[in-house]
Amino acid sequence: MKINKMLSKRFEELASALDFLGENPFKVRAYLKVSRILDEMDEEVSEIYKMEGLSGLEKIPGIGEGIAKKIAEFLETGTFQKYEEVMSQVPPDLLILMNVPGIGPRTLKQIYDNFRVTKMEDFVKILDDPRLLQLPGMGEKKIENIKRGLELYLSMQERMPLGVAMGIVEELLEYMNKCEYVKFISPCGSYRRMKETVGDIDILVVGPNGSEIIKYFTQYPLVSDVLASGDTKGSVVIENKYQVDLRVVSEESWGAALQYFTGSKSHNVKVRSIAKSKGLKVSEYGVFMGDKYVAGREEEEVYRALGMEWIPPELREDQGEVEAALAGNLPNLVEFKDIKGDLHVHSSYSDGSSSLEELAKYSISFGYSYLGVCDHSKSVKYAGGLAIDGLREKNREIDRLNSELGGFRLLKGTEVDILADGKLDYPDEVLAELDFVVASIHMWKKNEDATERILKAMESPFVTIIGHPTGRLIGQREGYRVDIDAIIEKAVETKTFIEINSYYERLDFNDVNAKKAKEKDVLLVINTDAHHTGQFSMVRLGIGQARRAWLMPNDVINTRPLEDLIELLNTKRK
DNA sequence: GCCGTTTTCGGCCCGACTGTTTTCAGTCG
């Protein structure tokens, strides 16, 4: 694990433990903030410390003298005193219990002080102990709540991939739109920001009859548990796994609430501090000067009231977007209408289920002017990889279809495997017959560092695009090890493009890596890796990651019209 | 513990929901 992540974890644990021990909540929050900063930082603190020492660390906003010293101590000795000292006072199982919904630091402390439980199983037993009811503030319902929270905690451990959330949201919105009281509705939260995983789903509604809307919401057929149901807020669990929160606000608060519930938390903190410096107050009800309502009907209005441009949700991570909005310097992010075609889909020639003709016709109806068909190469047996004859047969069908398709163009491609020694799975003369080549890795040894393999492949003049460069599957496997900076550097040197794979389990390159690539002027391509036409719409997930990476249309090659694209695809071969 | 156009002390986002209370504490987002 990277040092930043290790430190981030330590500070998070420290915060939980201090919270449990009743330390000043602001101190707890300071540690939590640092934990988050470390988790999201690109640069390694060890490098900063090596180059600039303590003062370098203190330059990072959120890190002051105290925490800088703790980080330095950790870098020198592998741990820090404060952490050891505090952790020794809190049983590890109790820290886990703090993450259970319905159990907070106070409740846990009270139970611990009275019953001295230190183990998870003892805690579960105590929940059935009648003596628990004697404690102040403890009632039957509260205990039921904790039990339910424990169950939920066990079934909702993981965040869902964005693509899974998208399916849930779309179906739920369809249901909610049938409610006669719903006037406007929008998802917010990390879903709206297109974060690659979503913890729970937040939905915002405007409508005249809050309690009826919430009631309708809790009656959604897929609801397995109702956690809260009031006049303005409802909270349910869907299919025993996914938490969905819905809030109802008035029309004049719609924009402010959308802004507020979209987050991120750090973005909102920044926005609110700007508001404060201007003598304004921002809440989910609007922007206020004293008690006077200044703005809030539309999101644009909220940002404008604070002297900012409207900030696209994907940028709201406190990564410089507030400063850019204040200066009027926000990027014009790439959007779906810019995308002219997909350069990585599979057909029924390998493991896809749509024919070339179906793919072409669907592409046209999807608004595309070209489509790159990339079936697997011969070594990928489990995915029906094409032998050379099969590939040539497919090429002939593409030629035939192209003569019938008018202005639309099918491009001959392949997803050629990068073999264990970095060689490609087809010889050069076969690759030369194609319009372009996506090269990717599907087979690797456990713990293998695949950097050299990929770098070697990139040196081939025929490798146009590196496909799903890290091999990770969200929530399932980490992928092979790879030095991202080296890949980016090689992409610059060899003029190779890098894929943002939109497949819902992949999202690979992710937002952070794509941003790094952009900073080195590497061009990217947003592909879906679709295996049938129903998966074309996943492109929205990839566009979301691209937007989170601050990419503009010019940073992405498949925003180019066909002729320009073909010229780009040929740059390396020349 | 951090931070500063309210600058070395005294704030730190703030409101809804729930359950237990009889005016509020705890938890959550």
Side-chain angles (χ1 to χ4, degrees):
Chain A
M1 210 188 326
K2 293 260 173 66
I3 289 175
N4 284 7
K5 303 273 180 205
M6 287 166 66
L7 267 165
S8 165
K9 190 102 205 308
R10 295 248 169 160
F11 282 119
E12 194 190 351
E13 286 170 2
L14 183 57
S16 287
L18 288 172
D19 205 6
F20 172 79
L21 293 171
E23 178 62 275
N24 174 356
F26 296 109
K27 195 183 277 192
V28 171
R29 216 164 65 194
Y31 282 123
L32 274 180
K33 187 175 170 191
V34 168
S35 167
R36 203 202 68 239
I37 290 166
L38 289 168
D39 186 49
E40 292 170 356
M41 243 171 70
D42 289 338
E43 214 176 337
E44 286 286 329
V45 279
S46 48
E47 288 300 311
I48 297 174
Y49 181 60
K50 211 189 309 175
M51 306 298 288
E52 302 175 61
L54 272 179
S55 65
L57 296 175
E58 284 179 50
K59 275 190 214 139
I60 302 165
I63 297 180
E65 196 187 345
I67 290 182
K69 279 191 181 145
K70 291 180 178 69
I71 293 176
E73 189 186 341
F74 180 86
L75 294 172
E76 306 275 1
T77 69
T79 186
F80 54 96
Q81 272 268 261
K82 176 86 175 181
Y83 175 82
E84 298 295 333
E85 213 176 280
V86 172
M87 297 310 286
S88 71
Q89 298 172 53
V90 184
D93 276 14
L94 293 193
L95 283 187
I96 296 172
L97 283 164
M98 295 247 305
N99 296 319
V100 173
I103 307 176
R106 300 284 81 78
T107 309
L108 196 58
K109 186 74 165 36
Q110 200 190 31
I111 295 176
Y112 174 72
D113 285 347
N114 284 278
F115 297 99
R116 290 283 137 190
V117 285
T118 55
K119 288 271 169 246
M120 189 69 96
E121 59 255 39
D122 298 337
F123 182 85
V124 175
K125 274 185 209 145
I126 284 296
L127 293 178
D128 289 320
D129 193 322
R131 286 177 300 165
L132 196 55
L133 286 163
Q134 306 304 313
L135 299 182
M138 223 15 115
E140 303 227 351
K141 283 195 167 177
K142 194 158 182 182
I143 293 171
E144 270 317 300
N145 227 4
I146 293 174
K147 285 184 180 172
R148 207 167 45 169
L150 264 172
E151 263 175 56
L152 276 178
Y153 174 75
L154 295 172
S155 63
M156 300 198 304
Q157 278 287 34
E158 282 160 19
R159 294 169 65 89
M160 65 193 113
L162 178 61
V164 171
M166 193 172 269
I168 294 170
V169 167
E170 283 176 354
E171 274 183 39
L172 178 61
L173 290 191
E174 202 185 317
Y175 168 83
M176 288 306 298
N177 272 315
K178 288 186 198 139
C179 174
E180 57 179 317
Y181 300 111
V182 170
K183 197 165 175 194
F184 306 131
I185 185 163
S186 170
C188 6
S190 52
Y191 175 80
R192 186 166 177 240
R193 301 200 312 279
M194 294 271 118
K195 213 167 144 70
E196 64 183 32
T197 60
V198 176
D200 54 28
I201 294 169
D202 293 297
I203 310 279
L204 187 68
V205 172
V206 166
N209 193 336
S211 58
E212 282 300 314
I213 292 170
I214 302 287
K215 202 170 137 205
Y216 180 84
F217 169 62
T218 59
Q219 285 163 358
Y220 182 49
L222 298 182
V223 166
S224 48
D225 219 336
V226 178
L227 301 175
S229 171
D231 290 341
T232 66
K233 186 179 160 181
S235 187
V236 302
V237 178
I238 283 183
E239 293 171 330
N240 290 315
K241 259 165 115 175
Y242 311 116
Q243 185 171 334
V244 183
D245 297 334
L246 182 136
R247 292 167 177 88
V248 181
V249 297
S250 67
E251 204 161 340
E252 66 268 14
S253 298
W254 168 249
L258 206 49
Q259 195 286 325
Y260 177 73
F261 292 120
T262 296
S264 67
K265 196 169 256 212
S266 43
H267 172 85
N268 283 357
V269 167
K270 179 77 115 310
V271 166
R272 286 183 178 208
S273 75
I274 303 261
K276 207 169 172 184
S277 72
K278 294 181 190 282
L280 297 165
K281 193 187 79 168
V282 182
S283 75
E284 58 263 54
Y285 299 108
V287 182
F288 297 89
M289 183 170 280
D291 290 333
K292 194 171 151 274
Y293 172 94
V294 182
R297 195 167 282 268
E298 299 293 338
E299 229 180 16
E300 286 81 354
E301 212 179 274
V302 172
Y303 283 104
R304 202 182 315 131
L306 305 177
M308 286 181 237
E309 288 182 82
W310 176 80
I311 302 178
E314 295 91 337
L315 296 185
R316 300 183 195 170
E317 299 290 347
D318 190 21
Q319 300 276 336
E321 76 284 0
V322 173
E323 292 79 0
L326 282 167
N329 276 337
L330 283 170
N332 291 311
L333 300 178
V334 61
E335 47 189 312
F336 176 66
K337 71 169 175 50
D338 299 316
I339 302 292
K340 301 280 193 299
D342 193 326
L343 295 182
H344 184 172
V345 306
H346 294 258
S347 76
S348 49
Y349 273 90
S350 66
D351 60 344
S353 55
S354 303
S355 69
L356 291 179
E357 187 172 356
E358 283 165 349
L359 288 170
K361 293 203 164 139
Y362 192 83
S363 295
I364 295 169
S365 72
F366 207 66
Y368 285 166
S369 47
Y370 48 81
L371 182 76
V373 189
C374 296
D375 284 296
H376 287 290
S377 60
K378 60 184 181 357
S379 291
V380 195
K381 298 269 191 284
Y382 66 87
L386 280 177
I388 293 171
D389 285 350
L391 179 64
R392 287 188 168 139
E393 186 189 328
K394 178 181 134 187
N395 289 345
R396 282 193 295 275
E397 190 183 344
I398 288 179
D399 283 334
R400 186 173 61 75
L401 284 167
N402 275 337
S403 66
E404 298 166 1
L405 286 169
F408 180 83
R409 175 85 172 265
L410 281 174
L411 295 166
K412 294 172 202 158
T414 178
E415 183 180 15
V416 70
D417 248 63
I418 301 172
L419 304 174
D421 56 1
K423 289 194 183 126
L424 302 169
D425 197 21
Y426 289 130
D428 281 358
E429 64 267 25
V430 172
L431 297 177
E433 295 165 20
L434 302 168
D435 293 314
F436 74 104
V437 170
V438 175
S440 37
I441 290 183
H442 293 100
M443 289 165 283
W444 65 91
K445 293 198 192 76
K446 206 179 164 194
N447 292 325
E448 178 179 341
D449 186 327
T451 309
E452 287 307 318
R453 266 168 91 175
I454 299 178
L455 294 182
K456 186 165 174 205
M458 291 171 88
E459 278 168 9
S460 161
F462 295 104
V463 169
T464 336
I465 296 165
I466 290 297
H468 47 74
T470 76
R472 68 98 174 246
L473 292 181
I474 296 172
Q476 296 177 53
R477 66 172 192 221
E478 277 190 43
Y480 37 80
R481 288 193 288 143
V482 59
D483 178 347
I484 298 295
D485 294 324
I487 300 292
I488 289 173
E489 206 173 296
K490 184 62 98 178
V492 174
E493 179 196 320
T494 59
K495 296 197 173 11
T496 308
F497 310 123
I498 296 181
E499 177 177 83
I500 295 177
N501 188 302
S502 311
Y503 202 85
Y504 77 102
E505 292 172 308
R506 292 192 181 273
L507 301 183
D508 180 12
F509 260 0
N510 66 11
D511 49 359
V512 174
N513 291 336
K515 197 173 182 190
K516 274 191 188 174
K518 179 200 159 87
E519 279 158 11
K520 300 282 179 189
D521 294 324
V522 169
L523 295 178
L524 295 116
V525 50
I526 303 174
N527 291 333
T528 60
D529 208 345
H531 283 61
H532 55 86
T533 52
Q535 292 182 329
F536 273 46
S537 59
M538 289 189 306
V539 70
R540 284 185 292 157
L541 305 174
I543 293 170
Q545 305 319 297
R547 290 168 64 85
R548 290 177 61 80
W550 295 57
L551 298 193
M552 300 195 275
N554 260 342
D555 300 314
V556 178
I557 65 168
N558 50 330
T559 59
R560 308 285 203 281
L562 181 62
E563 279 183 27
D564 298 357
L565 176 83
I566 288 176
E567 199 172 318
L568 271 177
L569 294 179
N570 283 322
T571 21
K572 267 180 96 174
R573 295 192 195 187
K574 280 179 194 161

